[in-house]
Amino acid sequence: MAKIIYTHTDEAPLLATYSFLPIIEAYASTAGVDVETRDISLAGRIIAQFPERLTAEQRIDDALAELGELATQPEANIIKLPNISASIPQLKAAVKELQEQGYDLPAYPENPQTDEDKEVRAKYDKVKGSAVNPVLREGNSDRRAPASVKNYAKAHPHRMGAWTADSKTNVATMGQGDFFSNETSVVLPADDTLTITHVGTDGTETVLKSGIPVLAGEVVDGTFMDVAALRRFLVEQVARAKADDVLFSAHLKATMMKVSDPIIFGHVVQAFFPTLFEQYGEQLAAAGISPNDGLGALLGAVEQLPDGEAIKAAVQQGLADGPKLAMVDSDKGITNLHVPSDVIIDASMPAMIRTSGHMWGPDGEEADTLAVIPDSSYAGVYQTVLDDCRANGAFDPSTMGSVPNVGLMAKAAEEYGSHDKTFEVPSAGTVQVTNAAGDVLLSHDVQPGDIWRACQTKDAPIRDWVKLAVTRARATGVPAVFWLDENRAHDANLIAKVKEYLPEHDTEGLTIEIMAPAEATAYSLERIRKGEDTISVTGNVLRDYNTDLFPILELGTSAKMLSVVPLMNGGGLFETGAGGSAPKHVQQLVRENYLRWDSLGEFFALAASFEHLATTTGNARAQILADTLDRATGTFLNEDKSPTRRVGGIDNRGSHFYLALYWAQELAQQTQDAELAAAFAQVAETLAGNEQKIVDELNAVQGSPADIGGYFRPDPVKADAVMRPSGTLNDALTVLSDAI
C-alpha cells in the first residue's frame, strides 16, 4: 500500500492535526494510500532519549531517527509540519510538564560535572534547537507562493503600515570581530577525518571534537565571534538607542543557532543591565542563573535568593536608565530580552518592516527601533529593505512581485549544521582544525569567552542546489540570483563551485546572476516594485530569512507557502510553512476554545505529496486527489474560509470542514474515475446538506476554556474531543471510509 508519513509535531500545528488528519485519512484511503504519523514533537523527542527510565507504556521509538533514515530512501513521502526548535527555557518547561505527567525524566543539567550529568546533558543537547530539520532535509529547498495564494493576496491585500522618509529605524551590526569578518574556509581535496583542538597559550591541547568525517570537495569553514568586540558593540548600541530615542531590540536565532545565539543573547542582557551584573553577577552565577536564559528566567529564579527583591529593583532601575526596550507583550511586561526564543530574527524583522518599521514599546505604542543584529553576514539584507521603504514607502501587496527561494540545506549545510562544532572558548589560545595527517587547515587566535564554530557544506548538495536553481529558472522564465558575497570566505568557495557546475546545465536564454546579499536584495526589491519576480538562490540561513521576509511582505504570512524538498535519493519532503505564532494560538485555544491556526500550508503540502506519490508509483487516484485538492483550495481562498482571528467566526476546525466540502465536490465532479466520483457525490451531498448544522456544532464550543491535558504533550483523547466537536462531520468521514 502506498504510504504518506504525516508528522506529529507541536503547538498549534499539532492541535490542527487532530482535526485535519481524520479528513486526510478518509480521503486518502479511497486511493489506497495509507497515512501514518510519526511523533517528532519536542516532548516525543525528549521521551525517546530516556527509555531506560520509563515504563513500557511510556516508552516511544525514536521517530526522528527513523524518518532520517527514510529520507535517504527513494520511497520517502513525508509531510513535515512546523515543530518547536527548543531554546533551553522551552526545553526545561517541556521536561517539567512531562515530569508532572509522570515521566521519570532527569532535570536539565546546567553545569554538568559528573559523567552521569554529562550523559544526560548530551541527550538533551540532541533535542534542543534545530534538532529536526537537519535530520530530515536530505535535499535542497524549493519554496514559493502558490499562484492561488498570490492571486488572493493581490485581490485582498493585507494591511501594510505607512512609511515616512524621517523614520529612525535602522539595523546595527558589527562588521568587525564577528563571524563574517573572522571566517576562513577550505575545500577538502579528498575524503578525510578532521579534529578540532584548542591549544592554550601554555601549550595545553584540548580536543574539542574529533572524528569529523568529510568528503572530497566538501567546504569546511571556521570562524569566531570576538566577545570583547561584541560587548563593546552592544554597549555602544544601548547608548545609541537611548540617544536616538528609539526602541532597543535584539534579533537573533536562539532556536536554530542553539549554541552560539543564546550566548550572544546573554551578552545583550548583560550589556543592557550593566549595573545589575556589576552588583549581583557573581551571586546570580553562583545560583545557576544565566543571562543566556533571558530576563524572564532571571526574574523567576531570584525569588529564592536572599537579595531577590534588591535584584528585581536593580532590573527595574536598569529598565528606567536604559533606552526604551522593545516589547513582546507590553500588557504583561514581557520585553524583547525576556526569553531568547521570543524574538526570532526571520519572523521579527519582516513583522517590523511590515509595521512601518515599528516595534511595540513599553507604553503599548508603536515606535521606531534600533534592530541589533550582531553578526554582519546577513544584516545588510534588512538594512537594504529599511532604506528602500524609507525612500519609496510601503510595498503594495496588490501589485508587488514575488521572491521564491531555492535553498541550499541538504545534509545540514552551512551554519545550521554547526551546533556540534560550536564552542565557548575556555581560555586564551588557538583553535585549530586539522586533518588525519595532522595538517592545520584552519586556525584562529581566540580569547576566553569567544564563540568559535565550524560549518560543513558537502559538494553533492551544492551541485544539486545549482541544478535546482537552473530547473526553477527554466520552469518559470524568472531571473535566478545566487546570494553570495565574494568577500566572505565561505561564499568565495561556493562562487567557484557555482561557476564550475552551471556549465553542466542548459542556461541558454536564462538570467542567472551572482550578487552579494545586500546587492541581491536591492535588485529584487526594484523588481518587486515593478511587479516582477526574482528567484533568490541562497544558503541555509538566508533561505530561512528570505522565506519569511518576502512572503510576510507579499502575503502577510509565511505560513501559506508551498515548500517542496526534492530529496536527493528520489523521495519527497513537503513542509507546511512557519510556526512562529503557534504559541499564541495555543494560548487562545486553551483560554476560549478557538484555534486560529491557518492550515493552508498543510493543504498545499498534501496536494504536492499526492502528486509526488502519483508520479513515483503510478497511482492514478492519488493524482486525482492532488488535482481536486488544488482546485478545492482555490475555492477555499475565493470563498474566504480561512480562520478568522476572534471568537464567533470559523476557526481552524471550520476551515477544515470547508476544505473537506469543496474537495468532496471537486472529486464528485471529476470525470476520470466514475467509482470515485460516485463515492464522493454522497459525501459532498451530506456535507453540503448539513453545512449549517456542522458549522453550528463547531462554533458552539467557542468562548469557554478548553482542556487539552498539556501544552507540550496534550492528552490525545482530550485533544481529539476538543478538535473534533462536530458529530455530523465525524459521521460523514466514517461513512466515506466504509464506502471504499
Side-chain angles (χ1 to χ4, degrees):
M1 191 174 190
K3 182 187 299 184
I4 293 173
I5 303 297
Y6 200 87
T7 55
H8 172 109
T9 58
D10 304 283
E11 296 177 325
L14 169 60
L15 294 172
T17 297
Y18 281 102
S19 169
F20 189 40
L21 187 60
I23 297 170
I24 299 173
E25 290 171 334
Y27 284 50
S29 67
T30 65
V33 176
D34 191 19
V35 181
E36 298 181 359
T37 60
R38 295 292 186 277
D39 185 354
I40 59 169
S41 66
L42 174 59
R45 301 192 319 263
I46 291 171
I47 292 168
Q49 291 298 315
F50 298 97
E52 72 284 354
R53 301 178 65 110
L54 305 177
T55 67
E57 293 74 21
Q58 291 175 328
R59 291 179 198 139
I60 62 174
D61 293 334
D62 188 344
L64 180 58
E66 178 193 345
L67 291 188
E69 175 61 29
L70 177 61
T72 66
Q73 306 302 314
E75 67 270 19
N77 191 319
I78 304 167
I79 297 178
K80 190 263 175 186
L81 280 70
N83 62 278
I84 292 175
S85 294
S87 63
I88 291 176
Q90 285 176 304
L91 178 62
K92 291 177 179 176
V95 171
K96 182 174 184 290
E97 179 180 300
L98 288 167
Q99 290 170 335
E100 291 170 350
Q101 292 178 352
Y103 290 87
D104 179 25
L105 297 171
Y108 177 82
E110 289 282 3
N111 298 296
Q113 300 298 323
T114 67
D115 288 345
E116 182 182 357
D117 281 351
K118 290 176 182 177
E119 182 181 354
V120 169
R121 175 66 175 265
K123 289 186 174 184
Y124 279 131
D125 285 347
K126 292 179 182 178
V127 171
K128 71 184 183 185
S130 180
V132 172
N133 291 338
V135 175
L136 298 187
R137 287 172 171 168
E138 286 288 323
N140 293 310
S141 169
D142 169 14
R143 199 145 192 248
R144 57 191 187 272
S148 57
V149 171
K150 187 64 175 173
N151 291 336
Y152 179 83
K154 288 182 175 182
H156 307 276
H158 59 89
R159 187 182 67 83
M160 298 283 274
W163 273 79
T164 59
D166 59 358
S167 167
K168 295 190 290 184
T169 293
N170 282 292
V171 168
T173 193
M174 291 175 68
Q176 297 294 324
D178 60 356
F179 291 126
F180 177 93
S181 60
N182 289 325
E183 187 174 73
T184 55
S185 181
V186 63
V187 179
L188 275 297
D191 294 1
D192 211 329
T193 303
L194 306 185
T195 301
I196 303 172
T197 306
H198 176 265
V199 182
T201 51
D202 62 356
T204 302
E205 295 190 6
T206 304
V207 174
L208 301 176
K209 189 172 181 64
S210 60
I212 304 169
V214 289
L215 302 176
E218 187 164 341
V219 180
V220 177
D221 315 318
T223 187
F224 71 99
M225 175 74 76
D226 180 332
V227 166
L230 170 66
R231 293 182 70 89
R232 289 193 300 271
F233 163 77
L234 292 172
V235 169
E236 290 168 0
Q237 302 322 309
V238 171
R240 174 183 171 184
K242 188 172 179 66
D244 291 351
D245 191 28
V246 295
L247 301 178
F248 176 94
S249 67
H251 300 262
L252 295 162
K253 187 77 168 174
T255 49
M256 298 288 272
M257 303 305 297
K258 62 184 178 182
V259 180
S260 61
D261 283 24
I263 298 172
I264 297 172
F265 184 85
H267 287 296
V268 179
V269 174
Q270 292 175 76
F272 197 91
F273 297 97
T275 304
L276 168 69
F277 286 93
E278 286 167 11
Q279 293 178 338
Y280 300 105
E282 290 185 7
Q283 187 179 148
L284 292 170
I289 300 171
S290 171
N292 299 7
D293 293 344
L295 187 59
L298 184 153
L299 288 170
V302 298
E303 297 277 0
Q304 312 303 320
L305 298 184
D307 291 333
E309 290 303 316
I311 292 171
K312 287 195 283 186
V315 170
Q316 292 306 313
Q317 190 61 51
L319 290 170
D321 293 343
K324 290 174 291 186
L325 191 53
M327 305 296 285
V328 170
D329 189 331
S330 56
D331 292 341
K332 297 180 179 178
I334 300 174
T335 73
N336 175 276
L337 300 181
H338 258 63
V339 182
S341 57
D342 267 356
V343 182
I344 300 301
I345 181 171
D346 44 342
S348 60
M349 286 301 297
M352 177 212 288
I353 293 164
R354 184 185 163 194
T355 314
S356 309
H358 294 161
M359 294 187 75
W360 295 99
D363 59 358
E365 300 295 327
E366 295 178 19
D368 289 345
T369 304
L370 181 65
V372 177
I373 305 173
D375 182 47
S376 60
S377 295
Y378 311 117
V381 169
Y382 295 114
Q383 184 64 52
T384 300
V385 181
L386 295 175
D387 291 341
D388 182 271
C389 290
R390 215 179 337 258
N392 301 303
F395 298 97
D396 182 354
S398 68
T399 60
M400 67 189 294
S402 188
V403 182
N405 179 263
V406 172
L408 172 60
M409 66 180 193
K411 298 188 179 296
E414 300 190 313
E415 296 98 327
Y416 287 166
S418 69
H419 312 313
D420 62 341
K421 297 176 288 294
T422 300
F423 308 96
E424 192 169 20
V425 175
S427 60
T430 304
V431 176
Q432 298 177 343
V433 178
T434 55
N435 63 13
D439 302 322
V440 177
L441 305 182
L442 304 169
S443 178
H444 298 93
D445 293 333
V446 291
Q447 296 298 317
D450 286 352
I451 306 164
W452 188 95
R453 76 175 184 212
C455 308
Q456 298 172 250
T457 312
K458 300 188 186 305
D459 184 63
I462 297 171
R463 189 186 292 258
D464 181 76
W465 176 58
V466 173
K467 174 186 175 183
L468 185 57
V470 175
T471 299
R472 293 306 304 158
R474 175 67 64 194
T476 60
V478 169
V481 180
F482 286 86
W483 293 40
L484 297 170
D485 187 345
E486 62 184 5
N487 297 309
R488 180 182 174 188
H490 167 82
D491 284 9
N493 279 329
L494 257 64
I495 288 171
K497 286 181 174 288
V498 169
K499 290 181 176 178
E500 177 184 354
Y501 296 144
L502 274 174
E504 296 177 354
H505 308 283
D506 176 15
T507 59
E508 183 70 28
L510 303 181
T511 300
I512 297 179
E513 306 280 357
I514 300 174
M515 301 180 186
E519 180 189 2
T521 305
Y523 174 79
S524 302
L525 294 178
E526 182 180 1
R527 291 178 55 81
I528 275 177
R529 289 190 181 274
K530 296 176 184 176
E532 297 173 341
D533 300 345
T534 315
I535 299 170
S536 67
V537 188
T538 70
N540 206 355
V541 174
L542 264 178
R543 174 200 58 80
D544 237 11
Y545 292 6
N546 282 6
T547 56
D548 270 322
L549 172 61
F550 292 107
I552 287 173
L553 297 179
E554 296 171 28
L555 313 173
T557 177
S558 59
K560 298 181 179 180
M561 298 289 284
L562 173 62
S563 183
V564 177
V565 182
L567 298 173
M568 292 173 62
N569 290 336
L573 175 68
F574 308 94
E575 299 185 298
T576 68
S581 59
K584 292 180 181 178
H585 293 348
V586 180
Q587 292 158 14
Q588 185 179 11
L589 176 85
V590 171
R591 186 176 64 249
E592 54 191 15
N593 205 343
Y594 190 87
L595 185 67
R596 71 175 190 266
W597 174 259
D598 191 341
S599 292
L600 195 61
E602 288 99 291
F603 303 165
F604 291 130
L606 181 61
S609 171
F610 278 131
E611 184 164 24
H612 177 78
L613 192 148
T615 302
T616 55
T617 67
N619 186 324
R621 281 192 170 179
Q623 187 63 57
I624 293 172
L625 288 175
D627 294 340
T628 52
L629 178 53
D630 270 339
R631 293 197 293 270
T633 303
T635 304
F636 175 91
L637 286 169
N638 290 332
E639 294 295 328
D640 198 18
K641 296 303 183 182
S642 292
T644 57
R645 296 183 66 83
R646 294 179 180 84
V647 168
I650 62 167
D651 75 344
N652 177 262
R653 295 164 287 196
S655 73
H656 292 160
F657 158 64
Y658 278 106
L659 190 279
L661 169 61
Y662 301 146
W663 194 5
Q665 290 173 335
E666 290 290 346
L667 282 159
Q669 293 165 13
Q670 55 80 28
T671 57
Q672 298 103 304
D673 188 317
E675 183 185 11
L676 201 61
F680 277 99
Q682 180 182 349
V683 178
E685 183 179 351
T686 300
L687 296 181
N690 289 281
E691 176 182 354
Q692 192 58 54
K693 182 180 181 183
I694 292 171
V695 170
D696 289 345
E697 289 173 348
L698 293 172
N699 289 359
V701 300
Q702 295 179 15
S704 301
D707 178 13
I708 56 174
Y711 182 90
F712 294 97
R713 193 164 186 80
D715 180 287
V717 175
K718 291 181 177 180
D720 186 77
V722 167
M723 293 305 300
R724 302 189 68 200
S726 171
T728 307
L729 175 58
N730 299 344
D731 290 344
L733 296 176
T734 301
V735 170
L736 173 62
S737 298
D738 293 341
I740 297 292

